[in-house]
Amino acid sequence: MGAVQVFDRVLDRMRASLLGLPRRQKRLLQVMTDVILVWGALWLAFVVRLGIDDLANPVEDHLWLFLAAPVIAIPLFVRFGMYRAVMRYFGNDALITIIKAVSLASLILAVVVYWYSGHNNVVPRSIIFNFWWLSLIMVGGLRLAMRQYFLGDWYSAVQHVPFTTNRDDGLPKVAIYGAGAAGNQLVAALRLGKVMRPVAFIDDDSSIADRVISGLQVYKPRHIQRMIDMTGAQEILLAIPSTSRGRRREILGFLEGFPLHVRSIPGFMDLASGRVKVDDIQEVDIADLLGRDAVPAQEDLLERCIAGQAVLVTGAGGSIGSELCRQILNQGPKTLLLFEHSEFNLYSILSELEQRISRESLPVRLIPILGSVRNQPQLFDIMKTWSVNTVYHAAAYKHVPMVEHNIAEGVLNNVIGTLSTAQAALQAAVENFVLISTDKAVRPTNVMGSTKRLAEMTLQALSRELAPVLFADQGNVSQVNKTRFTMVRFGNVLGSSGSVIPLFYKQIRSGGPLTVTHPNITRYFMTIPEAAQLVIQAGSMGQGGDVFVLDMGAPVKIVELAEKMIHLSGLSVRSERNPHGDIAIVFSGLRPGEKLYEELLIGDNVAATRHPMIMTATEDYLSWDVLKERLNALLAAIADDDYDRIRQLLRETVSGYAPEGDIVDWIHMQRRHNP
């Protein structure tokens, strides 16, 4: 074992012993140390003023001064709270406190010297000034040194000492992109946690290039390869939470060319909300790869259907439904009803929202309800009991292959569930009803898309009727329509259940391969918070029967997204050109009902709205009387397990529905093979 390792072990043991002392003993040790430091500063003050040669014995000549200095300084140190500060978290505020305490102690000591010098015991006036700056250096400097020591990062404070420069403690070496406040906080957190070892900063600001910040060298982006060679960095952590998405995409594109795993720290809003800490390292946000900045929300549209009102969200525990609940809570509803058929999902979102309501003292009544959107009487009772003003209908089966294998359930949940919820809202005179739809409803090739389009058509038909006779109402009693029905259509959301992004991360962690269905498959993507905000704003603009389409930006090629994720994990793609790469991408073939390209519009009739990210589309629809006949026929086919008839009815009703391949419903296939 080398001398450095032995010295390191001794320091670690001493640090552990000091940290294990009772608080009272720690404070007593600090006081005793400060007394010695005050005496040392006073003695050095005489040395600086008189020099070693002319210095007699200041302790014997001015014993009263050496007794007065700690008597004056220590009570002031106590009063200013210098012994309440935790040494490991010693910062700028504590330094300012030391400056105040030492300065006041020096002033009082100056008054004592002035008064006592009248007794023929002259003290040079410069002694007080020397005592002041020496005390600042010794008292403050020792605390800074001890902070580094207790952080377990003693060597970072003296990294220019030759034998410590290349010290290897076995921790992964990381470089921090961004030498600002977030970057420095991250360095402190990493040193405290001792899970990673920060070795360098990278920053775009040329004015700080080649400087040392927090003991780390700052490199320009174009010198990253040199930084890797000199420090052995294995990862880069992005500490640029306030940078725009466009700029982050440029940075990520540049970093793809280096063999580094790129990760990120959360944004300021997540930090401020308390959901995460600055040292919560996470994989790169895929939204940064898309590079599109969200358009600021229009507050009046967000509040119009929510503020001071009772709001019901169906599918409240799902990806979109739960985010809608979070966004709704921001707008100050009177009551928020969470309707969900999954007990676990309902419990999860309820617990999260209750904690937030308690933390922020929000005057919101939260009502969790288990139930099915097919149960119209229950829905009507809920809406009537709580005088619901607005319904956001997010409940749906949306996993394409899953619905393709369970056709009857897909129709019953997505079509009949929407119909039941809409009719309950109409009966309860709910003012606003907003359906969360999908781009897969446009010229669908699958049951999920066709059922969502049929759900849209149901609301379109109902919205055109002033007094419709409700579906399955044997009494033919008309119901006055006071509900404004609106539909909002958008593509995939990042991080939703069933999303390809979590799957890719899981496959990368397990060593691959990454599975992509087709080399040319593309999808539209949007973040869940952005989608939820736009849904709320679009729902506020509808006049009745409107189909709103969100601007999803440019479609993303999934294979290119997979390649970027591999590169930003510090790995390479294995292919014919690079047979020795780390992770392969394999093409598994399109799944049942899956399309190569998604669309947002059926026709070309689209118009702008007051919001730049929201368009309104004019789509064909059927009258309510005709649609009721089709729905009756559909239910009859489901009751008879006639899946060929179900497909035919969906073809006849949904414009552009062109299913590819055979019916793959599990029940249908089993009965076909075992009649």
Side-chain angles (χ1 to χ4, degrees), residues 400 403-404 414 437-457 489 592-603 619 647 649-661:
V400 170
V403 176
E404 206 69 18
N414 293 357
S437 192
T438 171
D439 58 353
K440 293 173 179 61
V442 179
R443 279 180 280 276
T445 59
N446 50 67
V447 175
M448 194 281 274
S450 63
T451 55
K452 290 298 287 184
R453 175 59 189 144
L454 192 49
E456 290 181 356
M457 294 172 68
R489 188 187 292 163
E594 194 169 37
K595 296 170 69 175
L596 270 182
Y597 312 102
E598 300 292 1
E599 304 169 271
L600 290 168
L601 297 171
I602 296 175
E619 309 282 27
R647 174 176 278 198
L649 285 168
L650 289 175
R651 281 176 181 268
E652 295 172 358
T653 307
V654 177
S655 174
Y657 175 46
E660 298 176 357

Side-chain angles (χ1 to χ4, degrees), residues 302 306 322-333 353 356 528-530 532-533 536:
L302 286 176
I306 297 174
S322 59
E323 183 60 31
L324 277 171
C325 292
R326 296 183 193 102
Q327 299 286 348
I328 288 167
L329 213 57
N330 293 337
Q331 307 308 317
L353 297 182
R356 182 178 166 195
I528 295 178
E530 183 182 7
Q533 276 197 353
I536 294 172

Side-chain angles (χ1 to χ4, degrees), residues 10 40 45 51 63 72 101 145 154 163 172 191 274 355 361 453 509 537 607:
V10 171
L63 180 61
I72 293 171
W154 173 259
F163 71 89
R191 286 171 173 167
Q355 289 177 17
S361 301
R453 175 59 189 144
R509 285 193 295 268
Q537 293 173 88

Side-chain angles (χ1 to χ4, degrees), residues 486-640:
T486 303
M487 293 134 276
V488 185
R489 188 187 292 163
F490 56 92
N492 299 274
V493 288
L494 297 171
S496 65
S497 57
S499 170
V500 70
I501 308 302
L503 174 62
F504 281 170
Y505 275 131
K506 182 179 179 181
Q507 291 174 339
I508 289 172
R509 285 193 295 268
S510 62
L514 267 62
T515 54
V516 179
T517 55
H518 193 280
N520 297 323
I521 193 167
T522 64
R523 289 293 181 265
Y524 291 100
F525 285 104
M526 178 178 283
T527 65
I528 295 178
E530 183 182 7
Q533 276 197 353
L534 290 173
V535 163
I536 294 172
Q537 293 173 88
S540 299
M541 292 191 290
Q543 301 301 311
D546 309 79
V547 177
F548 290 105
V549 180
L550 304 187
D551 180 358
M552 302 290 295
V556 177
K557 204 168 183 178
I558 301 301
V559 68
E560 293 179 358
L561 184 63
E563 291 172 353
K564 287 179 180 291
M565 291 179 65
I566 292 173
H567 291 151
L568 292 172
S569 296
L571 305 169
S572 59
V573 179
R574 189 190 312 146
S575 62
E576 291 181 1
R577 294 181 180 178
N578 183 22
H580 302 294
D582 300 302
I583 294 184
I585 297 176
V586 298
F587 299 103
S588 57
L590 292 175
R591 298 172 297 179
E594 194 169 37
K595 296 170 69 175
L596 270 182
Y597 312 102
E598 300 292 1
E599 304 169 271
L600 290 168
L601 297 171
I602 296 175
D604 297 324
N605 300 320
V606 62
T609 67
R610 56 176 285 193
H611 196 291
M613 299 287 287
I614 303 173
M615 301 170 288
T616 182
T618 302
E619 309 282 27
D620 295 332
Y621 65 95
L622 298 176
S623 69
W624 177 235
D625 290 335
V626 172
L627 189 63
K628 282 198 296 182
E629 293 179 7
R630 301 281 176 89
L631 293 176
N632 274 318
L634 200 56
L635 286 177
I638 290 173
D640 295 337

Side-chain angles (χ1 to χ4, degrees), residues 125-146:
R125 285 174 292 180
S126 60
I127 291 296
I128 299 301
F129 175 74
N130 291 339
F131 171 76
W132 173 74
W133 66 264
L134 284 166
S135 294
L136 288 178
I137 292 174
M138 296 174 70
V139 175
L142 180 64
R143 279 165 168 77
L144 286 174
M146 294 307 292

